[in-house]
Amino acid sequence: MNAVELENVTKTFGSVTAVDDLSLAVPEGCIYGFIGPNGSGKTTTLRMIMNIFYPDRGVIRVLGSDAVGSRIDHIGYLPEERGLYKNMKVRDVLKFYGELKSGRRVDDEVDRWLGRFDLTDWANKKVETLSKGMSQKAQFIATVVTRPPLVILDEPFTGLDPVNTDILREAVLELRENGATVIFSTHDMSVAERMCDFIFMIFKGRKVLDGTLSSIQDAYGHDTLRVRIEDGRESLDNLAGVENVRDFGRTQELRMTSDCDPQKTLAEIMSRTRVRSFEIAKPSLHDIFVRIAGPEAEERQDEHA
Amino acid sequence: MRRVLRIARREYKVAVRTKGFVIALVVAPLLMGGSTIAIILTKNRVDTRDKTLAVVDHSGVVANALVEAAERRNAESIFDEETGKKIRPAYHVEIVEPNTTDPRTQRLELSNRVRRGELHAFLEIGPEVLHPGEDQDACRIAYHSKNPVMDDMRGWLGWPVNTQLRKRRVAEAGVDESTVDDTLIWLNIQGLGLVSFDEGTGEVQDARRSNEGEAVGVPAIMSMLMFMMLMMGAMPLLHAVMEEKNHRIAEMILSTVKPFDFMLGKIIGGVGVSLTASAVYVIGGIIVIRYMDLGEYIPYHVLPWFFVYMLAAIVMMGAILAALGSACNDPKDAQSLTLPGMVPVMIPVFLLFPVIKHFSQRIQFSAPAFGLNVLPKSFRLSLPDCLRRRNVG
């Protein structure tokens, strides 16, 4: 069974089509990643699932029901911009959201989560005194304190330091282990690669990727050479059969054309410099993202136009 | 409903626990009643310096009477009977011969004397005041001073001038003044309510004497109280909804409740705030009024209706203002919409005295949208008869 299903959903704001004929299915019990450039329609899609926006067309089915707002009790939602009452104390605001959602007292759960996120000392302080990272963690607690079966997180890792990112990531993984379905949007491709069972990419309101990481990478084939060389990036200029070179400092990724022989390319590189490592790889999610939404893709689209 | 009440409870607690609420609770009535307090404080602080009035009497029949009247007043009315302290200014009348050839120059000279402070004012009495004809200028009595509208002396002059003119007319008619002295006595009409039948005692109850303070003051106070409660309970909703929308708090709430429930919770919270504040004011007011032995003027039978109408007004206004708040994107928008949002609150205030003075169905139905807090102003006038008493006769 799917936790969330969208069928031919369209949403416009004036003359702008934010989401265009979008269909997707989020299986239960998975972590489903939404990626896409800014303004591509990620948040609008999540808000439609949350019943904050109504779609102009199409059907949205949440936890088996397509009645508007009928399963809202069963969804935990963390908005992109944080929505906590700044003048309330941390514990009070978390209890408020928890009780509002569940209709029962959630004191114990709140205290447990505060302890887990190292916020116990801040429980009786006002939200406005929290740092951005603390505020983010408090917002996450408000989202999951009632243990909803479906959790929607809009860019949950933004603004967190590595330690807090790890804490939050573990919490998200634990939610899935406990049977919850987690949908989150992110700009961090490495997070999406490492955490998501399924990845969905939206670009200019339309779905451009949807599937597991390996199925997406398979669609692009083994067209990437990842190398470490002694000399700098300049020694990789003007290689035959190489479309693009991305320099990560210590390593470089070369995207090959479909008729390129990797062995010949390796030989040519070795003729120019010493090669320390060489790997024929699938493209990274980052690379796929850039291919779809980067400046080169824009230029190609303009040329086609 | 559980969620609505949870939102309402949060709204209420957040509002009443602030210093702002406590301060508003104390300051608002002080501001509203400030003018009354100022009047009370300044009531006895009058200018007691003597004032001189120049009288140019073209008729020749009034000036001397004014001199006598002023002397009588100075002897009888300007000193406190108990303390002997001077509490009002003495009036002195200076008779000035009329300049019939150049009256405009004479008026200018007298005006300059007023400007220099030698005179308080001058009075010019037309030649035909005894028997006014069609010539308006000839029968005019003109009072000139720096501030002729708000002037106690001008108010005092009306009686002695007209009394003198009436006496002269009676004398000219050949009637002995002493035989018709009571023709000049003016009787006031006493305002009374209606006679009623008391079912408890089985007796006819005499009509109660009413006064302006009771007829105007009670509904005015209750209306102002309702206005204050609207300002405390409903007006904050505009900014609160705007802020919650901008800070994405609304998104969090709407991920749990329907928009209607969200708004309803906020409005109920506002109603709670107003009820708390009004209860403090009403109970406090009753205690103070009873302490002053004025308990008979407290309209207990109207109080339940006051609360009913106040709740209805706050729900209506709260809904309008919350809707306006949801349309705002930033504080500037909210500021711009505050005035139009207040119009439905202000209109009943503008209608207050017309409703009290000319209470009729027509006024009520002419402003149905604002009737919720116009109507209570009429309760003082209508409810005692329609709810408590059975008319007799």
Side-chain angles (χ1 to χ4, degrees):
Chain A
M1 183 181 165
N2 292 321
V4 177
E5 290 175 346
L6 272 68
E7 289 177 13
N8 308 110
V9 170
T10 297
K11 177 69 184 175
T12 57
F13 296 102
S15 60
V16 177
T17 303
V19 174
D20 188 5
D21 198 32
L22 181 66
S23 297
L24 63 87
V26 180
E28 269 189 343
C30 74
I31 296 179
Y32 198 92
F34 269 42
I35 62 172
N38 295 327
S40 58
K42 297 190 297 294
T43 298
T44 302
T45 304
L46 295 179
R47 285 176 177 170
M48 283 193 288
I49 295 170
M50 285 311 304
N51 198 37
I52 294 168
F53 290 160
Y54 297 143
D56 299 335
R57 280 198 303 277
V59 175
I60 296 174
R61 202 169 287 115
V62 178
L63 299 171
S65 170
D66 58 4
V68 173
S70 62
R71 307 310 301 268
I72 210 164
D73 294 2
H74 299 83
I75 312 174
Y77 177 59
L78 183 144
E80 181 181 6
E81 291 166 61
R82 307 308 161 221
L84 298 174
Y85 286 102
K86 289 185 169 56
N87 289 325
M88 285 181 79
K89 291 177 180 172
V90 174
R91 180 180 277 123
D92 290 343
V93 78
L94 296 178
K95 281 166 59 180
F96 169 68
Y97 282 129
E99 289 170 14
L100 195 63
K101 179 73 83 177
S102 67
R104 60 181 170 81
R105 296 184 70 85
V106 291
D107 301 43
D108 292 342
E109 287 99 320
V110 165
D111 287 340
R112 187 173 65 80
W113 277 102
L114 286 172
R116 176 171 178 173
F117 279 0
D118 203 20
L119 287 174
T120 305
D121 291 344
W122 296 83
N124 291 317
K125 292 192 167 62
K126 287 189 174 179
V127 170
E128 64 189 356
T129 64
L130 298 182
S131 68
K132 189 175 180 184
M134 288 176 182
S135 177
Q136 179 82 325
K137 289 193 287 187
Q139 184 84 48
F140 182 82
I141 295 172
T143 306
V144 301
V145 71
T146 57
R147 299 182 199 169
L150 174 60
V151 177
I152 295 177
L153 311 170
D154 197 354
E155 302 193 17
F157 301 104
T158 304
L160 291 180
D161 61 46
V163 174
N164 283 318
T165 300
D166 284 348
I167 292 172
L168 207 61
R169 195 187 70 239
E170 285 170 17
V172 171
L173 294 173
E174 187 183 296
L175 290 173
R176 181 183 58 180
E177 283 169 19
N178 292 331
T181 305
V182 180
I183 300 173
F184 73 84
S185 68
T186 182
H187 286 120
D188 189 334
M189 297 301 112
S190 64
V191 167
E193 278 179 337
R194 278 181 283 145
M195 291 184 66
C196 296
D197 302 311
F198 295 91
I199 292 168
F200 161 84
M201 181 171 172
I202 186 170
F203 181 54
K204 294 186 175 175
R206 300 190 72 92
K207 180 168 74 175
V208 289
L209 292 176
D210 190 10
T212 62
L213 177 63
S214 58
S215 71
I216 290 169
Q217 288 175 322
D218 286 346
Y220 282 81
H222 288 72
D223 68 348
T224 301
L225 284 182
R226 199 167 291 136
V227 297
R228 283 186 65 193
I229 54 177
E230 280 197 350
D231 295 330
R233 185 215 172 287
E234 292 75 19
S235 55
L236 299 175
D237 285 346
N238 303 317
L239 285 170
V242 174
E243 270 183 351
N244 179 267
V245 179
R246 294 185 63 223
D247 186 10
F248 292 97
R250 297 183 65 200
T251 62
Q252 288 79 33
E253 278 188 8
L254 287 67
R255 193 195 316 155
M256 299 175 293
T257 56
S258 55
D259 57 349
C260 175
D261 181 354
Q263 300 302 325
K264 285 184 180 173
T265 306
L266 173 60
E268 192 173 348
I269 296 171
M270 288 175 69
S271 70
R272 297 183 185 185
T273 181
R274 287 181 64 82
V275 176
R276 290 189 172 164
S277 72
F278 177 85
E279 180 188 5
I280 301 172
K282 295 175 183 177
S284 66
L285 192 57
H286 183 109
D287 192 30
I288 293 170
F289 186 102
V290 172
R291 288 187 205 184
I292 294 170
E296 287 178 25
E298 294 274 344
E299 285 170 16
R300 277 199 301 275
Q301 281 187 349
D302 291 344
E303 283 170 15
H304 285 303
Chain B
M1 197 60 196
R2 170 182 55 77
R3 288 175 171 153
V4 172
L5 294 177
R6 185 66 187 86
I7 292 170
R9 193 165 56 142
R10 195 208 77 85
E11 292 291 322
Y12 176 78
K13 284 168 73 175
V14 165
V16 300
R17 282 181 176 177
T18 58
K19 290 173 192 161
F21 178 78
V22 177
I23 291 168
L25 211 58
V26 176
V27 170
L30 288 180
L31 290 175
M32 293 290 181
S35 57
T36 309
I37 293 169
I39 290 168
I40 293 168
L41 291 175
T42 58
K43 190 174 70 174
N44 294 324
R45 299 179 70 85
V46 294
D47 181 5
T48 56
R49 287 175 297 180
D50 292 357
K51 294 176 179 174
T52 303
L53 171 76
V55 177
V56 182
D57 187 1
H58 293 274
S59 70
V61 298
V62 179
N64 288 327
L66 285 179
V67 173
E68 290 172 15
E71 287 172 354
R72 232 179 2 259
R73 176 186 173 279
N74 294 344
E76 296 171 357
S77 312
I78 65 171
F79 297 101
D80 186 292
E81 287 181 7
E82 291 181 7
T83 63
K85 188 181 171 187
K86 189 179 180 186
I87 54 173
R88 293 189 188 88
Y91 292 163
H92 301 291
V93 176
E94 175 186 324
I95 299 173
V96 178
E97 282 301 312
N99 183 343
T100 52
T101 54
D102 190 3
R104 288 169 65 87
T105 302
Q106 186 178 38
R107 285 182 202 128
L108 178 62
E109 286 171 357
L110 289 170
S111 294
N112 287 334
R113 288 185 65 194
V114 172
R115 288 189 185 97
R116 290 195 297 270
E118 296 167 14
L119 296 174
H120 174 72
F122 68 94
L123 187 73
E124 189 172 7
I125 299 169
E128 295 178 12
V129 291
L130 193 57
H131 301 292
E134 290 182 357
D135 185 353
Q136 294 292 315
D137 286 338
C139 58
R140 189 174 66 171
I141 301 175
Y143 180 85
H144 299 265
S145 75
K146 287 179 182 172
N147 184 17
V149 178
M150 304 290 286
D151 194 320
D152 288 344
M153 182 182 275
R154 174 172 160 264
W156 170 78
L157 282 167
W159 180 261
V161 167
N162 282 292
T163 301
Q164 173 63 10
L165 291 174
R166 281 194 202 112
K167 282 182 178 178
R168 290 300 298 258
R169 288 168 191 151
V170 168
E172 282 186 9
V175 178
D176 181 4
E177 188 187 323
S178 61
T179 62
V180 292
D181 204 26
D182 54 1
T183 57
L184 301 178
I185 295 175
W186 183 274
L187 291 177
N188 290 316
I189 298 170
Q190 194 174 34
L192 294 170
L194 298 178
V195 174
S196 61
F197 180 74
D198 190 331
E199 290 178 347
T201 61
E203 293 177 356
V204 175
Q205 298 289 307
D206 288 339
R208 271 185 71 226
R209 185 175 176 179
S210 61
N211 58 46
E212 286 185 358
E214 187 183 9
V216 178
V218 171
I221 289 169
M222 295 180 88
S223 298
M224 291 312 290
L225 184 57
M226 189 176 291
F227 175 74
M228 279 165 50
M229 294 305 101
L230 276 169
M231 297 300 286
M232 289 178 84
M235 280 307 291
L237 286 174
L238 192 151
H239 285 269
V241 171
M242 182 275 298
E243 281 183 16
E244 287 177 358
K245 180 186 168 191
N246 285 351
H247 293 161
R248 305 296 174 189
I249 292 166
E251 272 189 40
M252 283 293 286
I253 307 280
L254 291 177
S255 72
T256 302
V257 301
K258 294 173 185 167
F260 178 83
D261 294 343
F262 179 31
M263 291 298 182
L264 184 59
K266 293 190 77 66
I267 291 168
I268 292 175
V271 167
V273 172
S274 298
L275 275 179
T276 304
S278 56
V280 169
Y281 289 140
V282 168
I283 293 170
I286 289 173
I287 291 170
V288 170
I289 291 169
R290 288 174 70 96
Y291 180 76
M292 295 166 70
D293 282 337
L294 297 170
E296 63 176 305
Y297 294 113
I298 300 173
Y300 291 106
H301 53 285
V302 177
L303 290 179
W305 291 100
F306 166 78
F307 282 104
V308 168
Y309 276 88
M310 187 188 73
L311 294 186
I314 291 171
V315 168
M316 183 184 78
M317 284 305 306
I320 292 171
L321 292 165
L324 289 175
S326 70
C328 297
N329 290 318
D330 54 47
K332 265 188 176 177
D333 280 353
Q335 196 67 35
S336 303
L337 284 176
T338 298
L339 185 61
M342 280 187 66
V343 168
V345 185
M346 296 305 298
I347 287 177
V349 175
F350 297 146
L351 289 176
L352 172 61
F353 286 100
V355 167
I356 291 172
K357 196 172 179 184
H358 306 293
F359 172 64
S360 71
Q361 293 293 314
R362 186 178 299 171
I363 291 177
Q364 288 183 57
F365 291 116
S366 67
F370 316 110
L372 285 174
N373 54 347
V374 170
L375 279 175
K377 290 145 196 157
S378 64
F379 275 140
R380 180 64 200 92
L381 308 173
S382 60
L383 276 179
D385 296 323
C386 68
L387 293 182
R388 288 205 315 165
R389 300 173 185 175
R390 198 172 76 198
N391 291 347
V392 173

